[in-house]
């Protein structure tokens, strides 16, 4: 897979394109942003589901996968994470994307939608909390002072294993997925996981949601303890135009557990918006 | 885009795709384009096939971005089959599923007979049987390739490959891609093709074979294909109604569905670790 220099990072990415090679106009593009301490391989199933109609961009975020790991002690900010993604789009000549984020990848998407509304044709959030419940912070601390201490003590893989049911509904996971999940997260260095935790654990986007202008689709499992159904059902108070789809019987990790349904919901959402109605067709991005 | 260099210095260019579940083993499937085509022709195949398999598309020698053979090269299917054997070895693979199209089906048959351990299965998309009796003038085609160039020939004969109602942009792209091959090499293939008869070779193919053919192919009646498949020890035929000879480009969705169903029957159940 190729790398591209974006600011201080060598970002590993893949821009898949299985649309007709003779197209005059490039097709619209999806940008898939992975969740906390994960990498682009978490989107494998999504590429074939979108790839005949759209270009599909996935990449390893700052410090994750094969992308450059910042030095120990370097703080992570949303400006960094949003800037990395927009910088990557600039390098690849992508004016606009349909942004899909899973869990904290959606938090970065919300930040991008607020800061660069012209660069996002739509925003889809899979199990993304707008503010993390305090109870989750306690659980993630595993009896230590905080999550950072717990990660230092157990390592990213050990910490991930002990908290896995919060980010993957194990009752729905096929054989092998859980072990793979832990192993992939264990590839993320401790200091990256800790800095990301310091950033994501403190974000509260609830008061800013009303400023989001980008068409938004919110997908959530009704059993997720992180992105809670109660909060998602109240999101219309802040975002009257957003569409919320609840996956009954699912916990966290719907992007891995139900990729076909997620993509089906996205296609239906975009199709509705492109159809006859108040909103004009989404421009090519 | 990646490259392997063979023992004689030739470079074969290929792309790899794998969107299978990362916690499962995925078996390799090698896609081999037809003569005068290249690996780009597989674009509509890749997403669905790579969701389940590790897909590798290569440019055969003389095609796409791979090396050209020397001009005094003696054309036959054997060196192309030998290339596939060496290609597999350089990728560190003992064996793979092979999907081969159009005139490369003749290479596929040769490959399966000469290197039987290399193939888990063989899928043939548009199987020509006895090219000697095809209702085309191979010599006139070869002369046209040499004098007017491959693109002129490809344009003039496009209706043999794609249905009349195919997207004009597809037709134009198809012709342009065929035009990338040097005329002298195309002509050498054509003069060789008119001597090829696989009738006695097919019974020697031991691996499971799927043949996908169109019943509207003007080059060869479907009855000839049916008869040929009956001579394969382990062969089956899927007929696409109203499809031309070049089924992989004319009817990709149906071809992919048939290929996936066939491969699934010959894929080992992957071992996966237990959930913690």
């Amino acid at each position: 897979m190729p790398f591209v220099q974006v600011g201080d990072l060598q970002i590993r990415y893949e821009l898949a394109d299985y649309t007709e090679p003779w197209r005059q106009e490039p097709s619209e593009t999806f940008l898939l942003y992975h969740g906390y301490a994960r990498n682009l391989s978490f989107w494998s199933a999504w590429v074939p589901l979108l790839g005949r109609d759209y270009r599909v961009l996935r990449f390893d975020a700052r410090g994750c996968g094969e992308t450059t790991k910042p030095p120990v002690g370097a703080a992570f900010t949303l400006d960094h994470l949003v800037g990395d993604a927009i910088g990557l789009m600039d390098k690849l000549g992508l004016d606009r994307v349909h942004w899909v984020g899973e869990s904290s990848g959606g938090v970065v998407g919300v930040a991008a939608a607020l800061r660069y509304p012209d660069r996002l044709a739509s925003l889809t959030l899979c199990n993304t909390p707008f503010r993390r419940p305090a109870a989750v912070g306690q659980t993630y601390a595993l009896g230590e002072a905080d999550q950072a201490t717990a990660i230092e003590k157990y390592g990213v893989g050990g910490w991930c294993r002990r908290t896995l049911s919060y980010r993957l509904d194990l009752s729905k996971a096929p054989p092998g997925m859980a072990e793979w999940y832990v192993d992939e997260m264990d590839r993320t260095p401790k200091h990256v996981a800790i800095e990301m935790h310091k950033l994501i654990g403190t974000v509260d986007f609830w008061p800013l949601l009303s400023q989001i202008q980008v068409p938004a689709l919110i997908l959530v499992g009704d059993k997720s303890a992180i992105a809670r159904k109660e909060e998602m059902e109240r999101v219309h108070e802040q975002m009257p135009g957003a569409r919320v789809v609840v996956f009954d019987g699912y916990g966290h990790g719907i992007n891995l557990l139900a990729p076909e349904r997620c993509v089906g919901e996205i296609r239906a959402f975009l199709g509705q918006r492109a159809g006859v109605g108040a909103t004009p067709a989404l421009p090519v991005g | 885009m990646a490259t392997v260099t063979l023992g004689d210095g030739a470079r074969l260019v290929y792309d790899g795709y794998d969107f299978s579940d990362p916690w499962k083993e995925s078996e390799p499937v090698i896609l081999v384009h037809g003569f005068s085509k290249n690996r780009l022709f597989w674009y509509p195949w890749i997403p669905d096939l790579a969701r389940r398999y590790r897909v590798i598309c290569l440019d055969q020698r003389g095609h796409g971005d791979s090396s050209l053979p020397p001009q005094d090269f003696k054309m036959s299917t054997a060196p192309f089959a030998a290339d596939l054997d060496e290609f597999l070895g350089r990728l560190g693979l003992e064996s793979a599923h092979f999907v081969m199209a159009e005139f490369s089906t003749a290479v596929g048959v040769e490959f399966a007979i000469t290197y039987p351990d290399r193939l888990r299965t063989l899928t043939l998309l548009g199987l020509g049987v006895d090219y000697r009796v095809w209702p085309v003038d191979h010599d006139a085609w070869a002369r046209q390739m040499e004098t007017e160039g491959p693109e002129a020939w490809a344009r003039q004969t496009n209706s043999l490959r794609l249905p009349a109602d195919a997207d004009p942009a597809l037709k134009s792209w198809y012709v342009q891609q065929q035009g990338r091959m040097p005329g002298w090499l195309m002509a050498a293939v054509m003069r060789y093709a008119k001597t090829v008869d696989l009738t006695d070779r097919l019974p020697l193919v031991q691996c499971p074979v799927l043949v996908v053919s169109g019943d509207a192919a003007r080059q060869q009646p479907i009855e000839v294909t049916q008869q040929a498949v009956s001579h394969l020890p382990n062969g089956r035929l899927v007929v696409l109604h109203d499809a031309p000879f070049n089924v992989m480009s004319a009817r990709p969705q149906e071809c992919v569905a048939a290929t996936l169903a066939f491969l699934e029957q010959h894929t080992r159940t992957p071992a996966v670790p237990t959930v913690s």
Side-chain angles (χ1 to χ4, degrees), chain A residues 14 16 18-22 41 44-45 47-48 51-52 58 161 170 174-180 256 259-260, chain B residues 17-24 40 43-44 46-48 50-51 167 169-170 173 252-253 272-276:
Chain A
E14 181 196 69
Y18 308 110
T19 62
E20 290 80 2
W22 57 85
S41 66
S44 289
V47 180
R52 287 284 285 120
R58 353 175 239 166
R161 187 186 308 280
L170 295 174
M177 181 192 273
E179 281 301 320
W180 170 81
L256 269 183
E260 290 83 4
Chain B
Y17 307 92
D18 187 355
F19 307 123
S20 64
D21 290 330
W23 53 89
K24 293 180 189 166
L40 301 182
Y43 73 90
I46 292 163
D48 285 348
R51 177 72 187 100
D167 185 340
L170 163 61
W173 177 83
Q253 279 98 338
V272 290
T274 50
V275 192
S276 59

Side-chain angles (χ1 to χ4, degrees), chain B residues 213-216 239-243 251 254:
Chain B
S213 283
D215 67 2
V239 176
L240 300 184
H241 185 53
D242 266 347
R251 303 275 281 269
E254 290 153 276

Side-chain angles (χ1 to χ4, degrees), chain B residues 95-107:
Chain B
S95 65
H97 302 279
F98 278 82
V99 179
M100 307 190 61
E102 301 146 20
F103 187 62
S104 291
T105 59
V107 177

Side-chain angles (χ1 to χ4, degrees), chain B residues 2 29 49 61 83 124 153 155 172 194 199 201 209 258 267:
Chain B
V29 175
L49 214 55
R61 194 186 292 242
D83 279 355
L124 302 173
W153 167 80
R155 185 173 298 110
S172 157
K194 73 170 186 182
T199 308
R201 305 292 281 164
V209 180
T267 298

Side-chain angles (χ1 to χ4, degrees), chain A residues 3-62:
Chain A
F3 289 78
V4 64
Q5 185 77 35
V6 177
D8 56 346
L9 302 182
Q10 281 275 323
I11 294 182
R12 183 179 71 150
Y13 73 98
E14 181 196 69
L15 182 57
D17 186 356
Y18 308 110
T19 62
E20 290 80 2
W22 57 85
R23 280 180 72 110
Q24 300 295 310
E25 291 285 323
S27 55
E28 296 179 33
T29 305
F30 270 82
L31 178 153
L32 308 180
Y33 201 113
H34 63 76
Y36 175 66
R38 300 194 266 283
N39 58 61
L40 60 76
S41 66
F42 282 72
W43 293 111
S44 289
W46 285 58
V47 180
L49 292 169
L50 291 164
R52 287 284 285 120
D53 303 309
Y54 299 93
R55 290 183 289 176
V56 183
L57 172 62
R58 353 175 239 166
F59 66 102
D60 293 334
R62 177 174 290 254

Side-chain angles (χ1 to χ4, degrees), chain A residues 15-208:
Chain A
L15 182 57
D17 186 356
Y18 308 110
T19 62
E20 290 80 2
W22 57 85
R23 280 180 72 110
Q24 300 295 310
E25 291 285 323
S27 55
E28 296 179 33
T29 305
F30 270 82
L31 178 153
L32 308 180
Y33 201 113
H34 63 76
Y36 175 66
R38 300 194 266 283
N39 58 61
L40 60 76
S41 66
F42 282 72
W43 293 111
S44 289
W46 285 58
V47 180
L49 292 169
L50 291 164
R52 287 284 285 120
D53 303 309
Y54 299 93
R55 290 183 289 176
V56 183
L57 172 62
R58 353 175 239 166
F59 66 102
D60 293 334
R62 177 174 290 254
C64 296
E66 310 287 321
T67 292
T68 308
K69 283 121 186 79
V72 175
F76 279 48
T77 67
L78 282 170
D79 280 350
H80 283 137
L81 300 179
V82 171
D84 296 342
I86 299 292
L88 176 61
M89 287 168 59
D90 289 343
K91 277 285 169 88
L92 300 178
L94 302 171
D95 288 338
R96 303 185 88 197
V97 294
H98 297 283
W99 184 303
V100 183
E102 64 109 349
S103 204
S104 61
V107 175
V108 183
V110 169
L114 288 168
R115 179 127 186 211
Y116 298 98
D118 295 341
R119 307 299 298 272
L120 274 67
S122 70
L123 173 64
T124 298
L125 307 174
C126 296
N127 280 144
T128 290
F130 298 113
R131 53 187 169 200
R132 203 173 69 176
V136 173
Q138 285 164 24
T139 305
Y140 278 6
L142 292 173
E144 305 297 322
D146 55 21
Q147 180 174 336
T149 315
I151 290 172
E152 282 290 358
K153 179 173 177 180
Y154 294 109
V156 178
W159 175 84
C160 172
R161 187 186 308 280
R162 286 168 173 80
T163 55
L164 186 60
S165 64
Y166 275 76
R167 68 187 68 82
L168 181 66
D169 183 341
L170 295 174
S171 73
K172 294 263 194 296
M177 181 192 273
E179 281 301 320
W180 170 81
Y181 201 123
V182 171
D183 289 346
E184 286 299 308
M185 278 189 61
D186 197 38
R187 295 171 56 204
T188 309
K190 277 185 193 176
H191 74 276
V192 170
I194 287 170
E195 293 301 333
M196 272 298 290
H197 145 69
K198 287 180 186 167
L199 172 64
I200 298 298
T202 58
V203 165
D204 183 357
F205 271 124
W206 191 262
L208 298 176

